[in-house]
Amino acid sequence: MTIDRRALLRGIATSPVALAAPPFLRHVSAQSGTLDIAAVYSLSGTFANVGTMLNDGSRWAVEKYDSVLGKKLNYLLLDDRGDPGEAVRKVQEVMTERGVKHIIGCTNSAIALAVQKEVYARGGIYVQEAGADESTGKDCNKSNFRWPVASYSAVNATVRPLIEKFPDAKKWYTITGQYVFGDSLLTNCKEVFKEKGVQHVGNSYHSLADREYSGYIATALAANPDVLAICNFGNQTVDVIRQAISFGVKRKTKILAIWSTGLDQYQALGPDNCEGVYFGCNFWHGVDTPGGRVVADVVKGKTGNVPNYLHACGYAVAQVLLEGLIKAGTTDVPAVIKALEGMTYEGPTGTEMVRPEDHQVIKDYYLMFGKAKSAMKDKNDYAEILAATKAFLPPEKTGCKMT
Amino acid sequence: MSTQLLVFQVLNGLGIGMIYFLLSVGLTLIFGLMRFVNFAHGAFYLVAAYMAFAITRWTGSIWGALVVAPLAVALLAVIIERILLRHTYRMPHEAQILITFAVALLIQEAVIIVFGPLGQNVPPPTSLSGVVFLGPYVYPAYRLAVVAVAAFVAVGLWLVVERTKLGAVLRAGSESAEMVGLLGINVDRVFMTTFALGGALAGLAGVLAAPLRGVEPFMSVEALGIAFVVIVVGGLGTLSGALVGGLLIGLVQSIMSTLWPQGAQLMIYASMALVILARPSGLLGRF
């Protein structure tokens, strides 16, 4: 067997030896006065439209901060093409070859769960926007932080108040995306239904590739539910709502999209489809807060419009990391993790806090109700907030054993 | 599953099948005559859907788009065919796939630049925005209208192909383009016309689909995938194959979404695999 010089160098660079190598081999960019912030987003695949806007939000936040601790920030986009395996490979590459330690972003929960393990194993820090409970639950780790609420919170901040608002709506049907996040929403729904004595009259799973939902909707209609709860995300939420309404579901049944991305989805649905539909939402531009005003200014400067959830969420994950770096006064990962634990800051939804026990950001989740077109005060005034709730599992019940 | 639900899923499946037929018929027409694999078919559908969005926003109604968008896409198809694709007719299929795939990517990126990456709503015409009651069943009026248009297109295309001189030329061309050329017919022009017709059909499908599923830049990939499944199942290059393939896939998808929801999408591809195993040329294929 022979080995050439290039293969030998490549082997050394990717081996554990490289990981243990002196900092001057790896932190070239740090030495030159810049700090790399790697962002993992899907710019193609089923959720590419989500990934593209999240990426915009994160990039604009990095541009807004420009530099921290005297180091110019350098935004590195890692396009995972919607594939967790690709995401992990790209994260491995930048961590081993460029020595990057500070990573943000994900487009779906499966990607976040894969990346958070990888970043932890390689001694980095990761702030992301997954929805699955596991992220800050049983799969939590010291390196991982999450900005949006978990699916537990989304369900408890929407399903629970809706059950209380309509005590006669006893029959609920769910349409669920068969992926980590959809299942996580469904599991939490079932627990609330059980606790509240609500009858779960059926569930239809759909796959990640589905775009035609009429068959599922027909099955749901046959069960004659009082409420149709939609447990998925992205374009699939919009498609299910649109098709359900076209089949006349709204005539007799309330529709609840437990997890929506807010404004961009309302625009995709149009006011006629939004009217009378209940939505769960992580961010709403109409909530006036100091942090929200900063995001609004940044987004207005870039798009001329108000921020949507995707912009705000992308912005927030970068903001959390950068505020942690500033508070720590160093780029050293253990120090930044320590600084982040318990940190409060002015985030897009108001004063937000990073819970030390599981690294979950504690913030409001909104239950919203679609307005009639005639009631809209401006072109973005699609919905009103019915409830703003911080519904989080107590740390001891999340299943998180911080390592 | 109750009998009532089963009957509804069958009816719904037939409706989905007609929509899938509309999606795939342009693709199968082009392949049938020209033996040309057009990966830009989904992009033509995308362009028309966004034209429907733009026209609806400007005029408040989708009706104008039903005429303008298929014609505009036909023109776009002709331009692309004249400038690029006609040079690839004698090349292997791989070259045709690569170049039409590149065209599709360019169109998709252009749509993102012009309209942005997020989805947009295209409302159906007001007169078709409600539901109709078919006995005990509720069905969207607009969806029913799309099924009717697809049925009209199927009959119209059958008449053109089977009962007109143009159809005779198309059928002869699909058997032997060289022989048709020797008979003094301008095959080059026939190819161009076929490509324009295929583009127009993709355009019509795009306009009609826009109110059903909204528009977003990646809808072309989904449409192309379904179109290929339909024509592989039905038989490459035959109109009747596209119809039978579309209906079969629609039925499988609709019925399975009640019987085994999580496997409904899987069963579409399982059906395709079974058909390929039993009849490699498709249910009504000739090759």
Side-chain angles (χ1 to χ4, degrees):
Chain A
M1 181 183 164
T2 60
I3 186 163
D4 63 27
R5 187 172 58 92
R6 187 169 292 173
L8 180 65
L9 288 172
R10 196 185 303 128
I12 290 170
T14 55
S15 72
V17 175
L19 292 174
F24 68 85
L25 281 179
R26 294 179 281 126
H27 290 276
V28 177
S29 60
Q31 281 186 341
S32 60
T34 64
L35 177 64
D36 288 333
I37 306 292
V40 188
Y41 289 118
S42 312
L43 298 196
S44 54
T46 307
F47 299 118
N49 49 357
V50 173
T52 304
M53 302 207 82
L54 287 168
N55 174 49
D56 283 343
S58 292
R59 189 161 42 82
W60 296 340
V62 168
E63 285 173 17
K64 166 82 177 164
Y65 278 81
D66 186 54
S67 62
V68 294
L69 310 174
K71 293 179 190 294
K72 175 89 176 159
L73 297 173
N74 179 39
Y75 188 77
L76 286 174
L77 170 64
L78 312 180
D79 177 8
D80 58 41
R81 296 183 285 184
D83 175 5
E86 180 80 5
V88 167
R89 278 190 294 278
K90 292 209 165 167
V91 167
Q92 284 173 345
E93 196 177 303
V94 293
M95 293 190 81
T96 54
E97 292 181 10
R98 291 188 64 126
V100 173
K101 292 287 184 192
H102 306 91
I103 297 163
I104 56 175
C106 73
T107 306
N108 67 41
S109 295
I111 290 170
L113 291 170
V115 169
Q116 71 185 61
K117 284 182 187 142
E118 193 62 33
V119 174
Y120 173 65
R122 291 174 186 275
I125 182 167
Y126 181 44
V127 187
Q128 40 83 3
E129 53 266 70
D133 287 341
E134 293 87 339
S135 177
T136 51
K138 69 180 179 60
D139 289 337
C140 74
N141 64 50
K142 202 76 178 163
S143 295
N144 178 60
F145 295 80
R146 185 240 300 271
W147 182 77
V149 305
S151 52
Y152 168 90
S153 308
V155 168
N156 280 274
T158 55
V159 173
R160 198 178 284 275
L162 212 58
I163 290 172
E164 285 158 8
K165 187 176 171 69
F166 299 107
D168 294 336
K170 288 288 184 194
K171 293 196 291 183
W172 286 57
Y173 194 95
T174 47
I175 292 181
T176 304
Q178 196 172 33
Y179 33 79
V180 174
F181 179 62
D183 252 331
S184 193
L185 288 174
L186 179 63
T187 303
N188 284 294
C189 277
K190 286 179 176 172
E191 283 174 14
V192 175
F193 295 159
K194 194 174 167 189
E195 182 197 321
K196 290 285 188 182
V198 163
Q199 191 185 354
H200 187 205
V201 292
N203 173 62
S204 292
Y205 273 119
H206 66 75
S207 78
L208 192 63
D210 266 314
R211 298 308 298 266
E212 171 60 51
Y213 303 94
S214 55
Y216 309 119
I217 291 162
T219 312
L221 280 171
N224 201 21
D226 299 312
V227 182
L228 173 65
I230 300 165
C231 304
N232 58 13
F233 99 109
N235 280 339
Q236 296 195 309
T237 308
V238 173
D239 287 340
V240 173
I241 294 172
R242 183 186 286 116
Q243 292 181 27
I245 290 169
S246 78
F247 273 80
V249 170
K250 248 191 332 191
R251 289 178 313 124
K252 293 181 182 171
T253 305
K254 291 170 184 56
I255 299 174
L256 167 64
I258 293 171
W259 186 280
S260 83
T261 55
L263 183 60
D264 60 291
Q265 289 192 336
Y266 305 161
Q267 287 167 338
L269 283 165
D272 292 338
N273 285 328
C274 282
E275 183 184 352
V277 175
Y278 295 86
F279 299 92
C281 195
N282 262 295
F283 170 81
W284 185 242
H285 64 274
V287 178
D288 186 31
T289 64
R293 283 196 287 277
V294 174
V295 179
D297 285 346
V298 168
V299 173
K300 185 155 191 182
K302 293 289 183 182
T303 68
N305 206 344
V306 298
N308 59 34
Y309 162 71
L310 298 171
H311 289 143
C313 189
Y315 188 97
V317 294
Q319 182 190 7
V320 170
L321 175 62
L322 298 175
E323 291 292 337
L325 282 160
I326 292 166
K327 187 181 172 197
T330 170
T331 60
D332 182 50
V333 168
V336 178
I337 291 171
K338 196 171 175 193
L340 276 172
E341 290 176 340
M343 181 181 83
T344 57
Y345 62 98
E346 289 304 322
T349 65
T351 303
E352 300 170 357
M353 191 270 280
V354 182
R355 190 158 70 176
E357 294 90 343
D358 58 355
H359 294 183
Q360 168 69 53
V361 170
I362 303 299
K363 57 178 279 300
D364 279 334
Y365 192 77
Y366 308 111
L367 172 63
M368 305 193 73
F369 182 62
K371 289 181 177 179
K373 194 174 182 179
S374 57
M376 289 171 63
K377 293 191 187 83
D378 58 59
K379 65 173 184 170
N380 296 315
D381 186 29
Y382 284 89
E384 61 179 308
I385 295 175
L386 298 182
T389 313
K390 289 183 177 72
F392 292 89
L393 267 173
E396 64 277 12
K397 290 190 176 172
T398 60
C400 172
K401 293 187 172 44
M402 194 58 79
T403 53
Chain B
M1 178 163 45
S2 70
T3 310
Q4 188 170 327
L5 182 55
L6 176 65
V7 172
F8 181 81
Q9 293 293 29
V10 169
L11 292 174
N12 185 48
L14 293 173
I16 296 173
M18 290 307 288
I19 295 167
Y20 286 172
F21 160 75
L22 201 57
L23 264 179
S24 55
V25 66
L27 187 65
T28 203
L29 195 71
I30 289 171
F31 186 84
L33 178 69
M34 301 161 66
R35 298 289 183 275
F36 187 87
V37 184
N38 179 23
F39 265 60
H41 183 77
F44 292 157
Y45 163 89
L46 172 72
V47 169
Y50 267 93
M51 287 187 75
F53 165 67
I55 289 171
T56 306
R57 180 165 276 192
W58 288 333
T59 67
S61 164
I62 198 172
W63 294 114
L66 271 172
V67 179
V68 173
L71 290 176
V73 173
L75 181 65
L76 176 67
V78 167
I79 292 169
I80 291 170
E81 195 265 351
R82 289 290 92 183
I83 294 174
L84 286 174
L85 305 183
R86 69 192 176 100
H87 304 295
T88 68
Y89 289 157
R90 294 184 188 284
M91 292 182 186
H93 281 322
E94 290 85 344
Q96 298 167 1
I97 290 169
L98 277 175
I99 200 160
T100 51
F101 192 64
V103 167
L105 286 177
L106 283 170
I107 290 175
Q108 181 178 289
E109 291 305 313
V111 165
I112 292 174
I113 289 168
V114 175
F115 293 99
L118 289 178
Q120 301 284 350
N121 187 50
V122 180
T126 314
S127 54
L128 296 172
S129 61
V131 293
V132 291
F133 293 90
L134 307 167
Y137 308 113
V138 178
Y139 203 73
Y142 180 76
R143 196 174 269 251
L144 197 61
V146 172
V147 172
V149 171
F152 181 76
V153 168
V155 173
L157 279 176
W158 181 83
L159 286 174
V160 167
V161 171
E162 298 293 332
R163 295 281 187 270
T164 66
K165 191 178 171 190
L166 172 65
V169 173
L170 291 177
R171 280 182 286 128
S174 73
E175 297 293 333
S176 171
E178 289 79 7
M179 183 64 77
V180 171
L182 288 172
L183 291 172
I185 292 167
N186 187 337
V187 174
D188 193 45
R189 190 172 295 168
V190 171
F191 275 19
M192 186 183 75
T193 307
T194 307
F195 208 80
L197 183 59
L201 287 166
L204 180 64
V207 174
L208 292 171
L212 286 176
R213 41 101 62 237
V215 295
E216 44 95 10
F218 307 99
M219 62 192 289
S220 54
V221 180
E222 160 211 346
L224 188 67
I226 286 289
F228 269 108
V229 170
V230 166
I231 65 171
V232 167
V233 168
L236 287 166
T238 66
L239 289 177
S240 50
L243 183 61
V244 170
L247 292 175
L248 180 69
I249 295 301
L251 282 171
V252 167
Q253 187 175 4
S254 188
I255 293 170
M256 291 312 296
S257 58
T258 293
L259 290 179
W260 186 34
Q262 54 270 54
Q265 194 74 17
L266 174 70
M267 290 310 292
I268 291 177
Y269 297 99
S271 309
M272 183 172 80
L274 279 175
V275 169
I276 290 173
L277 283 174
R279 277 185 66 87
S281 58
L283 293 172
L284 301 176
R286 292 173 295 167
F287 310 106

